[in-house]
Amino acid sequence: MIRIRLRSFVSPASLALLAAVVTVSTASAQSSIGMQGFGYPVGGGSVRTNGTGGAFAEFDALTPTNPAALGGLTRTVITAQAEPELRKLTGNGVSEKSTLQRIPLIMLIFPARRGVAVGLSATTFLDRTFSTATTGSARIDGISIPTSDRTDVRGAINDLRAGAGWQISPRFRVGVAGHLYTGENRATRERAFADTLKLGSVIDSSRVTYFGTALSVGGEATLGKGFTALASYRRGNEINARIRDTIVSKASAPTRTGAALRYDGIVGSVFAVGIEQISWSRMASLGSATIAPTDAMNWHAGAEVAGPKFRGLPVLVRAGYARNELPFGTPGQTARENRLSAGLGLPVAGEDATLDLSVQRASRTMSGSGFKESAWLLGIGIQIRPRN
């Protein structure tokens, strides 16, 4: 009789599983086009920004993108949000559905003096959480025995930001922020044999932690006639991957450059278009040779208009569109995403609290493959503004 039950061992299998955390798996195995490589770029936008297709990212103070957006705020703001995703992957005549729960943003903003405000935030930078189940066989003592394998990966890299914005004058704002990237990937693989009387299960696990930093700056200038120009730049510094206390690989956090144009010359309405370039290829050396990060160029357009009044204040109605390039694919294949967005801003307690809702319909494709993915992303966020 052969009985195997093994847990938490270091072996070639463990190293292979560890490599899977920082390399690309196939879309079919992960049930997602966006979850490859180091994970899906959540974006860090507030529910308001997400409802406008990401177009408001450069000037929405609740989105930790452009620190200049903090300048001039006169009230404390506390906000948190949840964003579950329901996705469906189709390829090779097979469809698979999955659901993911996220709390991608928690933020605190408080005013200082002379037009300065400070913001502290925690956002999900890259999310890589999935489970897979496969069947196969293994030969033991010359006998082929059916097996079932389950792999669970729970991981993310988070962006902890501390920023300050200064409103120099009614027409100009500037800001600066520091970022700390930290997180981990935990991967567990369990193999069970069909003959449970003779063979027990085999469990293998690994854990990788990440640490890195970045610095961002931003500015805003009112051009006149309702137009405002905005820009921000984030410089990524070193980011490393560790197993226990040992650094196993190093790279640079991605550099980001963004710009937007806002028009609010119509009372009760705001329109915006934006563009950003993110140098994801700077992360390539953090993984193995099979990882294929590509630089991304993303486009956004969106609007917010005042609707009917609720409790004496207008309900804000939002809509937007985004075309994104996802950072991680396989060699020769690039993942892309189109999004349609809509949202509402409800004044539930006058000017003291607002409930934000958003819904996004994402369509993702991977060049050179027959995989297609559709997803619904539902956002709910609450803003609380205590009276100073």
Side-chain angles (χ1 to χ4, degrees):
M1 178 182 293
I2 301 174
R3 181 167 295 276
I4 301 173
R5 186 168 297 274
L6 188 58
R7 297 175 182 270
S8 300
F9 63 91
V10 178
S11 67
S14 178
L15 295 177
L17 185 59
L18 178 61
V21 173
V22 292
T23 57
V24 177
S25 298
T26 63
S28 59
Q30 295 189 34
S31 301
S32 175
I33 289 176
M35 286 290 175
Q36 300 186 100
F38 294 101
Y40 179 74
V42 178
S46 68
V47 176
R48 181 195 186 200
T49 290
N50 292 341
T52 61
F56 284 20
E58 291 290 340
F59 58 86
D60 178 24
L62 301 184
T63 297
T65 297
N66 186 341
L70 299 168
L73 295 184
T74 58
R75 294 187 65 172
T76 298
V77 183
I78 304 170
T79 184
Q81 68 188 57
E83 189 179 86
E85 178 181 346
L86 300 86
R87 59 178 179 250
K88 178 181 179 181
L89 179 70
T90 303
N92 299 326
V94 179
S95 296
E96 188 168 346
K97 296 181 180 179
S98 57
T99 302
L100 184 65
Q101 301 292 336
R102 295 192 184 105
I103 301 178
L105 172 62
I106 299 174
M107 192 169 191
L108 168 65
I109 303 173
F110 53 92
R113 300 177 60 185
R114 303 179 184 275
V116 176
V118 176
L120 305 174
S121 64
T123 59
T124 303
F125 184 60
L126 289 167
D127 174 44
R128 192 166 191 259
T129 301
F130 64 90
S131 298
T132 66
T134 59
T135 59
S137 63
R139 295 191 66 83
I140 299 178
D141 290 340
I143 301 173
S144 180
I145 301 176
T147 63
S148 59
D149 296 309
R150 179 179 176 84
T151 300
D152 293 299
V153 175
R154 300 291 180 265
I157 299 178
N158 301 306
D159 179 358
L160 308 180
R161 190 193 82 159
W166 177 29
Q167 184 169 11
I168 301 174
S169 72
R171 297 186 60 184
F172 297 100
R173 290 194 289 183
V174 295
V176 63
H179 302 255
L180 175 64
Y181 297 118
T182 181
E184 67 175 22
N185 270 295
R186 293 179 178 268
T188 303
R189 182 175 181 179
E190 180 176 8
R191 167 164 288 185
F193 297 90
D195 191 345
T196 58
L197 295 177
K198 294 182 179 180
L199 298 171
S201 60
V202 179
I203 299 178
D204 194 6
S205 64
S206 64
R207 177 173 176 261
V208 181
T209 59
Y210 303 99
F211 184 86
T213 61
L215 178 69
S216 62
V217 296
E220 174 182 321
T222 300
L223 306 178
K225 296 184 178 181
F227 287 98
T228 302
L230 309 102
S232 63
Y233 175 76
R234 184 187 66 219
R235 173 67 180 180
N237 300 320
E238 181 180 287
I239 184 170
N240 58 60
R242 300 169 182 249
I243 301 176
R244 297 184 178 91
D245 294 328
T246 302
I247 297 176
V248 294
S249 60
K250 296 181 180 180
S252 296
T255 293
R256 176 192 176 275
T257 303
L261 183 65
R262 182 182 72 204
Y263 176 72
D264 54 11
I266 301 174
V267 177
S269 301
V270 181
F271 303 88
V273 292
I275 184 174
E276 65 176 358
Q277 196 274 341
I278 306 177
S279 301
W280 294 104
S281 60
R282 290 164 56 89
M283 295 182 69
S285 60
L286 197 64
S288 73
T290 59
I291 198 168
T294 57
D295 296 340
M297 184 71 73
N298 303 326
W299 304 80
H300 314 277
E304 178 183 81
V305 298
K309 290 189 175 182
F310 177 75
R311 296 188 176 184
L313 293 173
V315 174
L316 300 176
V317 181
R318 300 163 183 144
Y321 170 78
R323 181 173 177 81
N324 302 318
E325 296 177 340
L326 302 184
F328 306 111
T330 57
Q333 297 180 336
T334 303
R336 293 184 172 85
E337 175 186 73
N338 292 310
R339 285 199 196 190
L340 290 173
S341 306
L344 294 174
L346 305 174
V348 295
E351 296 183 352
D352 297 332
T354 301
L355 178 67
D356 291 309
L357 304 171
S358 69
V359 57
Q360 303 176 77
R361 178 61 169 175
S363 299
R364 301 167 187 148
T365 59
M366 182 177 293
S367 62
S369 77
F371 289 107
K372 293 183 179 180
E373 182 174 287
S374 59
W376 291 100
L377 295 93
L378 310 176
I380 179 169
I382 184 71
Q383 300 177 36
I384 300 174
R385 295 179 287 274
R387 296 183 182 275
N388 298 329

